Amino acid sequence: VAARAGEKWAQEALFRRYARMVNGLAFRLIGRDDDVDDLVQESFLSAFSSLGRLENPQAFSSWLGSIVVRTAHKLLRRRRLMVRVGLRRNEPLDLDAVIAPSAPPAVALELRRVYSTLARLDAQARIALVLHRVDGLSLPAVAQQMKISLSTVKRRLKVAEKLLAEIDGADRREP
Amino acid sequence: MSEAQRPLEHVRNPVSDARVERQWAALEAHGLPQPSGVRRARWLLVAPALLGCALAGAFAWSLFSRPARLPVGALVESVRQPVAVRLEDGSRLELAPETRMQLLENDARAIELDLREGRARLEVTHAPARKFKVRLGMAEVRVIGTRFELERKPRAGGTWVRVSVIEGVVELRRRDQPDDGDNLRRLHAGESWSATFGTQEQPKSAAVPAPASSEERALEQKQAEDPAAHEVQDATSSDEAKEAGEVAAAARPGVSRDTAADAGASHVFKRASVARRAGRMREAADAYAALLARYPSDARAGLSAFELGRIRMDALGDPEGAIAALARAADAGAGTSFHEDALARIALAYDALGRNGACREARDRYLAEYPHGVHAHALAAQCK
């Protein structure tokens, strides 16, 4: 209630409570560290300015997550556009910086597959893939977080899965 | 898929406490936005320049002998600054500038207020056994547990009133008509109602509630004779001066006790936050403890208890003291942003003390309330 009334101390309390969650989600979605701070800042600014529209304060975490997803979508689209017009290089992800060394081999392999595919997907497909394959969200939950329809999620994931299968096939063909 | 096999658990999270602090500093430097709902209710916050000093000037009722209880007949009045008052049942009244509101009834069964003039926002605590009503000219607003705004202005030939519901539901009735279904209107969240009544403010029909009692009139008269009780302190600009002003306001006779307490708590909380950010953890802990001792019912008390527990646990090596503070934080309610962390930390603190029974109990409480919580995986391995 205090944060909704614009009380700074309460906004700080919310920030400190959810900063780790937002940083983690932001990093998983974009896969690199250099844009995380901007994404976190934009997400919290957006959340604080629209707190009054949050109908159920108990759902703050999920609501904030959807804001991070939306903000990441905008950032990824912006980045992709900059790459297209030559203002930015499409640098490959450093997978060792993404995957924790403690990851079991099967999990590390799955994460490598997913993150090496991301650069070739559009913003919506890559977010859907990360939320589904990495965060483990169900398809309806992905749709809810992304504020898109379930059928759109399925279409986006189909594209991503096809690409994953192509990469797997190419790996198998290599000696 | 087991927890260990979830990819989510094995992606790095390159965040640190220092980075979180940097991010918060960047947010503050950018300028924290006001929620859009608050922007619409700018009259509550007045101008940004005044907001920083909102607590410096306030008006309050001068007749209550005990700080926690407003007597029947108390008239809360604001002049140039908004005034906030919390009733015993936890309900909160926020009066915009130039507003007068009188307490007509205040006991366990009923609370009744009369908005005499101006605008007010009310956050009413839900209490099934207690009726909560507000008179608004010839209208009456009945509340169950909700947030809403009221406004009353003199208009040529009468009085204009408005009711806007932010959360929950209120019932409206005309006080000069029978209390039956035809005279009831329900307003839901997002809905507003307004009307202009004629100059005949005091209805003569038998169905109308009686005007103020002789005791109320005596109280009001006494108040009218003592206008000095509602003095406003001028705003200052710098943070330092503002904090000094808040403390002065807190100590000042005649200033609303609710507002003054809020100013004092705000000052102590800021002092604690500054010390914490600067790494002066002992000083921060002392300030949080002082806030809890002096302002136990302040809105920041729960968060202060949590921060105190966190500091005692992480920086001062005092898990025993941390448990006491964290338990208090957890008691602030499941709806608080720190409730989950407080419960998790209690279990960890007991674990650090080697008190396995208490640790298991605290862990089980956490897992019962947050079976899929962010600490569930880590806590499951505790309390061996």
Side-chain angles (χ1 to χ4, degrees):
Chain A
V1 170
R4 288 172 83 156
E7 297 263 16
K8 193 172 124 184
W9 66 267
Q11 290 177 330
E12 182 178 357
L14 278 179
F15 173 81
R16 287 159 57 78
R17 169 69 179 81
Y18 292 100
R20 282 184 177 274
M21 184 274 275
V22 169
N23 271 277
L25 178 57
F27 183 68
R28 290 195 300 280
L29 289 173
I30 55 180
R32 61 176 78 245
D33 196 28
D34 45 1
D35 287 325
V36 165
D37 288 340
D38 286 345
L39 182 48
V40 169
Q41 179 167 335
E42 280 185 44
S43 299
F44 273 104
L45 286 173
S46 173
F48 289 150
S49 63
S50 51
L51 258 181
R53 293 200 291 273
L54 174 62
E55 289 172 358
N56 176 13
Q58 305 299 322
F60 179 81
S61 174
S62 160
W63 177 75
L64 180 60
S66 70
I67 290 176
V68 177
V69 166
R70 265 201 319 278
T71 312
H73 181 240
K74 282 186 214 162
L75 186 142
L76 289 169
R77 284 184 63 184
R78 203 162 56 226
R79 217 162 64 179
R80 202 173 162 87
L81 182 67
M82 289 172 77
V83 169
R84 278 185 183 167
V85 299
L87 292 173
R88 183 181 177 122
R89 287 172 58 193
N90 196 6
E91 292 174 2
L93 292 181
D94 177 2
L95 297 181
D96 291 330
V98 174
I99 303 164
S102 60
V107 175
L109 181 65
E110 168 72 355
L111 287 170
R112 281 187 178 277
R113 288 177 70 226
V114 169
Y115 278 97
S116 56
T117 310
L118 295 185
R120 294 163 62 183
L121 294 170
D122 69 25
Q124 221 170 37
R126 66 181 284 169
I127 289 174
L129 186 66
V130 170
L131 290 178
H132 185 52
R133 286 290 191 101
V134 180
D135 282 33
L137 297 189
S138 65
L139 297 186
V142 173
Q144 192 179 13
Q145 283 287 72
M146 296 182 69
K147 308 282 185 216
I148 58 177
S149 70
L150 184 57
S151 55
T152 306
V153 170
K154 286 178 180 170
R155 277 202 308 277
R156 297 289 178 263
L157 281 176
K158 198 172 172 184
V159 173
E161 302 286 354
K162 191 177 167 193
L163 196 56
L164 279 172
E166 284 173 14
I167 290 171
D168 288 347
D171 286 347
R172 274 196 296 272
R173 280 194 297 276
E174 280 182 10
Chain B
M1 188 182 289
S2 71
E3 290 290 328
Q5 294 294 315
R6 285 176 61 191
L8 172 65
E9 309 294 333
H10 301 289
V11 178
R12 293 178 192 261
N13 186 354
V15 70
S16 62
D17 287 344
R19 187 170 187 174
V20 168
E21 291 298 340
R22 276 202 310 276
Q23 289 173 340
W24 175 250
L27 269 172
E28 277 190 304
H30 181 280
L32 290 167
Q34 288 296 317
S36 51
V38 173
R39 271 204 299 273
R40 282 194 293 274
R42 288 181 73 174
W43 53 268
L44 275 177
L45 300 176
V46 207
L50 294 176
L51 176 62
C53 328
L55 300 174
F59 273 79
W61 174 241
S62 62
L63 293 179
F64 48 96
S65 54
R66 288 178 297 169
R69 186 178 180 86
L70 282 174
V72 168
L75 185 72
V76 183
E77 185 171 3
S78 63
V79 180
R80 281 184 289 160
Q81 303 283 349
V83 166
V85 176
R86 194 177 290 281
L87 301 178
E88 280 177 289
D89 72 338
S91 298
R92 184 177 165 86
L93 321 177
E94 293 177 343
L95 275 62
E98 308 292 344
T99 297
R100 291 191 304 142
M101 186 173 254
Q102 186 171 24
L103 186 64
L104 302 179
E105 199 172 352
N106 185 18
D107 57 41
R109 286 170 292 113
I111 292 175
E112 185 168 7
L113 296 154
D114 184 4
L115 180 65
R116 298 294 188 84
E117 185 181 14
R119 289 171 291 190
R121 172 179 286 201
L122 288 82
E123 286 179 11
V124 178
T125 303
H126 178 61
R130 182 263 290 127
K131 290 179 181 170
F132 196 111
K133 295 189 288 189
V134 188
R135 289 187 193 183
L136 190 62
M138 295 289 279
E140 183 182 84
V141 182
R142 295 176 179 180
V143 190
I144 297 161
T146 187
R147 283 199 304 150
F148 61 102
E149 290 168 6
L150 303 174
E151 189 168 6
R152 175 175 172 168
K153 283 180 184 170
R155 282 272 168 88
T159 301
W160 175 82
V161 298
R162 179 180 64 85
V163 181
S164 301
V165 180
I166 301 163
E167 283 179 5
V169 181
V170 302
E171 286 181 347
L172 288 169
R173 64 175 278 268
R174 279 189 70 115
R175 292 197 294 122
D176 59 343
Q177 290 178 8
D179 192 359
D180 56 23
D182 294 339
N183 185 28
L184 272 185
R185 173 191 285 257
R186 281 195 152 220
L187 275 190
H188 296 264
E191 294 179 339
S192 295
W193 170 89
S194 63
T196 302
F197 296 113
T199 49
Q200 200 64 17
E201 275 290 305
Q202 291 302 327
K204 293 182 169 55
S205 99
V208 170
S213 66
S214 56
E215 183 191 358
E216 291 167 4
R217 284 196 296 273
L219 285 167
E220 191 171 352
Q221 187 179 352
K222 188 169 180 184
Q223 183 184 56
E225 289 166 4
D226 186 19
H230 311 302
E231 193 178 340
V232 175
Q233 182 166 333
D234 284 336
T236 51
S237 56
S238 76
D239 279 355
E240 202 171 300
K242 188 170 64 187
E243 286 188 17
E246 286 168 355
V247 176
R252 191 170 183 161
V255 170
S256 155
R257 281 162 171 76
D258 190 77
T259 305
D262 190 58
S266 171
H267 172 72
V268 178
F269 188 82
K270 277 181 197 165
R271 189 154 52 82
S273 300
V274 168
R276 176 179 51 75
R277 285 190 201 127
R280 301 192 303 271
M281 294 305 185
R282 174 73 64 184
E283 186 185 329
D286 289 346
Y288 286 126
L291 189 148
L292 289 171
R294 278 188 251 158
Y295 310 103
S297 57
D298 184 80
R300 304 163 190 84
L303 178 60
S304 298
F306 176 71
E307 292 293 357
L308 178 61
R310 206 171 61 88
I311 292 170
R312 282 176 175 168
M313 195 168 165
D314 297 346
L316 304 181
D318 176 18
E320 192 81 54
I323 290 168
L326 292 166
R328 186 161 175 182
D331 286 345
T336 57
S337 63
F338 47 81
H339 185 258
E340 182 182 355
D341 288 346
L343 290 185
R345 278 179 172 271
I346 289 171
L348 294 172
Y350 277 126
D351 194 47
L353 287 168
R355 291 167 58 181
N356 290 340
C359 177
R360 279 193 290 274
E361 198 175 309
R363 178 196 65 190
D364 293 347
R365 181 181 171 194
Y366 174 91
L367 293 174
E369 293 194 33
Y370 300 100
H372 306 293
V374 290
H375 306 291
H377 181 55
L379 280 185
Q382 298 293 327
C383 320
K384 296 296 181 195

